Amino acid sequence: MIIAVDGPSGSGKSSTARGVASRLGLRYLDTGATYRAVTWSALEHGLDLDDTAAVAQRSRELRLEISTDPERQFVIADGTDVTVAIREPRISEAVSKIATNLDVRADLIPRQRAIIDAAQPTGGIVVEGRDIATVVATDSELKVLLTADTDARLARRGAELATGSVTAEQLRDQIVRRDADDATVSEFLVASDGAVTIDSTHLSLEEVIDVISRLAKEAEAAHLVAGDQES
Protein backbone atom coordinates (compact mmCIF):
# COMPACT_ATOMS: atom_id res chain seq x y z
CA MET A 1 0.00 0.00 0.00
CA ILE A 2 0.95 3.65 -0.31
CA ILE A 3 0.51 5.95 2.68
CA ALA A 4 0.74 9.66 1.82
CA VAL A 5 1.64 12.10 4.60
CA ASP A 6 1.41 15.78 3.66
CA GLY A 7 1.67 18.89 5.78
CA PRO A 8 3.47 22.14 6.59
CA SER A 9 7.04 22.53 7.86
CA GLY A 10 7.61 21.35 11.41
CA SER A 11 4.38 19.36 11.65
CA GLY A 12 6.38 16.20 12.30
CA LYS A 13 5.95 14.59 8.88
CA SER A 14 9.42 13.05 8.62
CA SER A 15 9.62 11.53 12.10
CA THR A 16 6.03 10.33 11.89
CA ALA A 17 6.28 8.82 8.41
CA ARG A 18 9.56 7.11 9.26
CA GLY A 19 8.05 5.75 12.47
CA VAL A 20 4.96 4.42 10.69
CA ALA A 21 7.13 2.76 8.04
CA SER A 22 9.23 1.06 10.72
CA ARG A 23 6.14 -0.01 12.67
CA LEU A 24 4.42 -1.53 9.63
CA GLY A 25 7.49 -2.90 7.84
CA LEU A 26 7.15 -0.55 4.87
CA ARG A 27 9.62 1.53 2.89
CA TYR A 28 9.91 5.26 3.44
CA LEU A 29 10.44 8.22 1.12
CA ASP A 30 11.14 11.81 2.15
CA THR A 31 10.38 13.70 -1.06
CA GLY A 32 11.66 16.92 0.47
CA ALA A 33 15.14 15.42 0.50
CA THR A 34 15.11 15.31 -3.30
CA TYR A 35 14.51 19.08 -3.48
CA ARG A 36 17.16 19.66 -0.84
CA ALA A 37 19.64 17.59 -2.85
CA VAL A 38 19.02 19.71 -5.93
CA THR A 39 19.43 22.83 -3.79
CA TRP A 40 22.76 21.55 -2.49
CA SER A 41 23.96 20.71 -6.00
CA ALA A 42 22.90 24.07 -7.45
CA LEU A 43 24.74 25.93 -4.69
CA GLU A 44 27.81 23.73 -5.07
CA HIS A 45 27.88 24.63 -8.77
CA GLY A 46 27.57 28.33 -7.95
CA LEU A 47 24.25 28.73 -9.74
CA ASP A 48 21.95 31.69 -9.28
CA LEU A 49 18.85 30.04 -7.84
CA ASP A 50 16.71 32.64 -9.59
CA ASP A 51 17.97 31.31 -12.92
CA THR A 52 15.20 28.75 -13.18
CA ALA A 53 16.41 27.25 -16.47
CA ALA A 54 19.97 26.65 -15.22
CA VAL A 55 18.72 25.16 -11.96
CA ALA A 56 16.30 22.89 -13.81
CA GLN A 57 19.11 21.68 -16.06
CA ARG A 58 21.23 20.95 -12.98
CA SER A 59 18.31 18.93 -11.57
CA ARG A 60 18.00 16.89 -14.76
CA GLU A 61 21.75 16.17 -14.77
CA LEU A 62 21.91 15.27 -11.08
CA ARG A 63 22.56 11.61 -10.26
CA LEU A 64 20.47 11.05 -7.17
CA GLU A 65 20.28 8.05 -4.86
CA ILE A 66 17.98 8.11 -1.85
CA SER A 67 17.43 5.37 0.71
CA THR A 68 13.95 4.03 1.37
CA ASP A 69 15.03 2.10 4.46
CA PRO A 70 13.41 3.90 7.43
CA GLU A 71 16.18 2.61 9.70
CA ARG A 72 19.05 3.73 7.49
CA GLN A 73 18.51 7.00 5.70
CA PHE A 74 20.99 8.44 3.22
CA VAL A 75 21.01 10.76 0.23
CA ILE A 76 23.78 10.65 -2.37
CA ALA A 77 24.10 13.37 -5.01
CA ASP A 78 26.54 12.84 -7.87
CA GLY A 79 28.45 10.34 -5.76
CA THR A 80 28.67 12.59 -2.67
CA ASP A 81 26.90 11.64 0.56
CA VAL A 82 24.85 14.74 1.36
CA THR A 83 22.66 13.22 4.07
CA VAL A 84 23.84 15.71 6.66
CA ALA A 85 24.67 18.61 4.33
CA ILE A 86 21.12 18.95 2.99
CA ARG A 87 19.84 19.70 6.50
CA GLU A 88 22.13 22.70 6.97
CA PRO A 89 20.45 26.10 7.53
CA ARG A 90 21.75 27.42 4.18
CA ILE A 91 19.82 24.67 2.40
CA SER A 92 16.67 25.24 4.46
CA GLU A 93 16.81 28.94 3.63
CA ALA A 94 17.14 28.31 -0.11
CA VAL A 95 15.13 25.16 -0.81
CA SER A 96 11.84 26.97 -1.51
CA LYS A 97 13.37 28.50 -4.64
CA ILE A 98 14.01 24.97 -5.87
CA ALA A 99 10.69 23.54 -4.74
CA THR A 100 8.78 26.31 -6.52
CA ASN A 101 10.72 25.87 -9.78
CA LEU A 102 8.12 24.13 -11.95
CA ASP A 103 10.73 22.60 -14.27
CA VAL A 104 12.56 21.08 -11.29
CA ARG A 105 9.27 19.68 -10.05
CA ALA A 106 8.63 18.23 -13.51
CA ASP A 107 11.95 16.41 -13.23
CA LEU A 108 11.70 15.21 -9.62
CA ILE A 109 8.08 14.07 -9.45
CA PRO A 110 8.59 11.24 -11.99
CA ARG A 111 11.70 10.20 -10.06
CA GLN A 112 9.67 10.10 -6.86
CA ARG A 113 6.97 8.03 -8.56
CA ALA A 114 9.59 5.58 -9.81
CA ILE A 115 10.85 5.09 -6.25
CA ILE A 116 7.28 4.51 -5.06
CA ASP A 117 6.64 1.98 -7.82
CA ALA A 118 9.86 0.13 -7.01
CA ALA A 119 8.75 -0.25 -3.39
CA GLN A 120 5.42 -1.90 -4.18
CA PRO A 121 6.75 -5.49 -4.38
CA THR A 122 8.15 -5.08 -0.85
CA GLY A 123 4.70 -4.43 0.61
CA GLY A 124 4.39 -0.68 0.23
CA ILE A 125 5.79 2.67 1.22
CA VAL A 126 5.09 5.69 3.39
CA VAL A 127 5.71 8.87 1.40
CA GLU A 128 5.86 12.32 2.97
CA GLY A 129 6.01 15.79 1.53
CA ARG A 130 3.81 18.66 0.39
CA ASP A 131 1.76 17.27 -2.48
CA ILE A 132 1.88 13.50 -2.21
CA ALA A 133 -1.88 12.91 -2.03
CA THR A 134 -2.72 15.56 -4.62
CA VAL A 135 0.04 15.10 -7.21
CA VAL A 136 2.74 12.49 -6.61
CA ALA A 137 0.65 9.50 -5.50
CA THR A 138 -3.01 10.32 -5.94
CA ASP A 139 -3.92 6.61 -5.67
CA SER A 140 -2.58 6.28 -2.12
CA GLU A 141 -4.69 3.92 -0.01
CA LEU A 142 -4.31 6.24 2.96
CA LYS A 143 -3.94 10.02 2.74
CA VAL A 144 -3.03 12.03 5.83
CA LEU A 145 -2.73 15.78 6.31
CA LEU A 146 -0.57 16.27 9.40
CA THR A 147 -0.89 19.71 10.96
CA ALA A 148 0.16 21.57 14.10
CA ASP A 149 -0.07 25.16 15.26
CA THR A 150 2.77 27.57 14.47
CA ASP A 151 4.25 27.61 17.97
CA ALA A 152 4.42 23.83 18.10
CA ARG A 153 6.03 23.65 14.66
CA LEU A 154 8.63 26.28 15.59
CA ALA A 155 9.46 24.41 18.79
CA ARG A 156 9.82 21.07 17.00
CA ARG A 157 12.02 22.41 14.24
CA GLY A 158 14.14 24.30 16.77
CA ALA A 159 14.66 21.12 18.76
CA GLU A 160 15.97 19.36 15.65
CA LEU A 161 18.67 21.98 15.07
CA ALA A 162 21.93 22.45 16.92
CA THR A 163 21.75 25.09 19.65
CA GLY A 164 22.64 28.48 18.24
CA SER A 165 22.75 27.29 14.62
CA VAL A 166 19.90 29.62 13.66
CA THR A 167 18.32 32.71 15.18
CA ALA A 168 14.66 32.87 16.16
CA GLU A 169 14.07 35.03 13.08
CA GLN A 170 15.78 32.52 10.79
CA LEU A 171 13.79 29.69 12.34
CA ARG A 172 10.50 31.49 11.75
CA ASP A 173 11.60 32.22 8.18
CA GLN A 174 12.27 28.51 7.59
CA ILE A 175 8.79 27.61 8.82
CA VAL A 176 6.38 30.45 8.01
CA ARG A 177 7.97 31.96 4.89
CA ARG A 178 8.75 28.57 3.37
CA ASP A 179 5.17 27.44 3.82
CA ALA A 180 3.91 30.60 2.14
CA ASP A 181 6.33 30.15 -0.78
CA ASP A 182 5.66 26.45 -1.23
CA ALA A 183 1.90 26.97 -1.06
CA THR A 184 2.13 28.79 -4.40
CA VAL A 185 2.84 25.51 -6.20
CA SER A 186 1.41 22.79 -3.94
CA GLU A 187 -1.68 22.51 -1.78
CA PHE A 188 -0.78 21.20 1.67
CA LEU A 189 -2.69 23.47 4.05
CA VAL A 190 -6.12 21.98 3.30
CA ALA A 191 -6.91 18.28 3.26
CA SER A 192 -7.34 16.74 -0.19
CA ASP A 193 -10.34 14.58 -1.07
CA GLY A 194 -10.35 11.46 1.06
CA ALA A 195 -7.56 12.65 3.35
CA VAL A 196 -7.67 12.38 7.13
CA THR A 197 -6.52 15.49 9.03
CA ILE A 198 -4.51 14.89 12.19
CA ASP A 199 -3.63 17.86 14.40
CA SER A 200 -0.47 16.86 16.22
CA THR A 201 -0.15 20.04 18.31
CA HIS A 202 -0.91 18.25 21.57
CA LEU A 203 0.06 14.72 20.56
CA SER A 204 3.35 12.94 21.12
CA LEU A 205 5.21 11.38 18.22
CA GLU A 206 4.23 7.89 19.37
CA GLU A 207 0.58 8.89 19.60
CA VAL A 208 0.59 10.18 16.02
CA ILE A 209 2.34 7.01 14.81
CA ASP A 210 -0.30 4.95 16.64
CA VAL A 211 -3.15 6.82 14.95
CA ILE A 212 -1.72 6.55 11.43
CA SER A 213 -0.76 2.90 11.88
CA ARG A 214 -4.31 2.08 12.97
CA LEU A 215 -5.75 3.99 10.01
CA ALA A 216 -3.38 2.15 7.67
CA LYS A 217 -4.51 -1.25 8.94
CA GLU A 218 -8.15 -0.20 8.55
CA ALA A 219 -7.47 1.04 5.00
CA GLU A 220 -5.70 -2.20 4.13
CA ALA A 221 -8.58 -4.28 5.49
CA ALA A 222 -11.11 -2.22 3.55
CA HIS A 223 -9.04 -2.64 0.38
CA LEU A 224 -8.97 -6.42 0.84
CA VAL A 225 -12.73 -6.55 1.41
CA ALA A 226 -13.34 -4.47 -1.72
CA GLY A 227 -11.09 -6.80 -3.69
CA ASP A 228 -12.98 -9.87 -2.46
CA GLN A 229 -16.30 -8.30 -3.44
CA GLU A 230 -15.04 -7.49 -6.92
CA SER A 231 -13.86 -11.07 -7.41
Side-chain angles (χ1 to χ4, degrees):
M1 69 183 308
I2 302 171
I3 301 174
V5 181
D6 292 308
S9 301
S11 58
K13 298 189 304 296
S14 296
S15 298
T16 297
R18 197 163 54 245
V20 171
S22 295
R23 173 91 55 94
L24 300 180
L26 303 177
R27 310 306 288 180
Y28 161 72
L29 175 61
D30 171 7
T31 61
T34 64
Y35 291 100
R36 286 175 173 270
V38 174
T39 306
W40 175 88
S41 182
L43 292 175
E44 286 294 299
H45 282 76
L47 299 182
D48 177 354
L49 301 190
D50 290 321
D51 186 342
T52 56
V55 171
Q57 183 60 30
R58 176 86 292 272
S59 179
R60 289 188 288 269
E61 293 173 352
L62 181 65
R63 290 180 291 108
L64 184 61
E65 181 182 355
I66 182 167
S67 169
T68 58
D69 182 347
E71 305 297 333
R72 181 174 174 267
Q73 283 292 289
F74 62 80
V75 181
I76 298 175
D78 284 337
T80 299
D81 188 331
V82 297
T83 309
V84 175
I86 62 173
R87 302 300 170 183
E88 294 174 354
R90 70 185 184 106
I91 303 298
S92 297
E93 292 167 4
V95 67
S96 281
K97 288 193 174 184
I98 305 302
T100 54
N101 184 322
L102 297 182
D103 289 332
V104 171
R105 297 181 71 81
D107 172 55
L108 291 182
I109 289 173
R111 297 202 203 197
Q112 295 162 6
R113 286 173 174 158
I115 294 171
I116 294 169
D117 290 343
Q120 292 312 295
T122 69
I125 189 168
V126 184
V127 189
E128 61 101 343
R130 303 288 212 189
D131 55 0
I132 310 308
T134 55
V135 177
V136 179
T138 56
D139 57 345
S140 299
E141 284 81 5
L142 174 61
K143 302 174 181 179
V144 174
L145 176 66
L146 188 61
T147 67
D149 68 28
T150 302
D151 288 342
R153 293 190 289 120
L154 287 169
R156 289 170 183 170
R157 181 54 54 83
E160 294 173 354
L161 302 173
T163 302
S165 61
V166 296
T167 65
E169 183 179 352
Q170 289 172 322
L171 180 61
R172 180 169 287 275
D173 177 75
Q174 287 185 21
I175 297 292
V176 179
R177 191 267 308 160
R178 272 192 58 203
D179 283 348
D181 288 349
D182 291 356
T184 63
V185 294
S186 60
E187 180 56 74
F188 57 90
L189 300 177
V190 178
S192 61
D193 289 344
V196 178
T197 299
I198 300 175
D199 186 339
S200 66
T201 302
H202 302 294
L203 297 177
S204 68
L205 174 61
E206 283 303 312
E207 287 173 329
V208 179
I209 292 173
D210 286 343
V211 171
I212 296 178
S213 297
R214 174 177 55 78
L215 291 172
K217 291 175 181 178
E218 292 174 356
E220 183 178 31
H223 181 70
L224 290 174
V225 170
D228 289 340
Q229 291 176 341
E230 289 178 2
S231 61

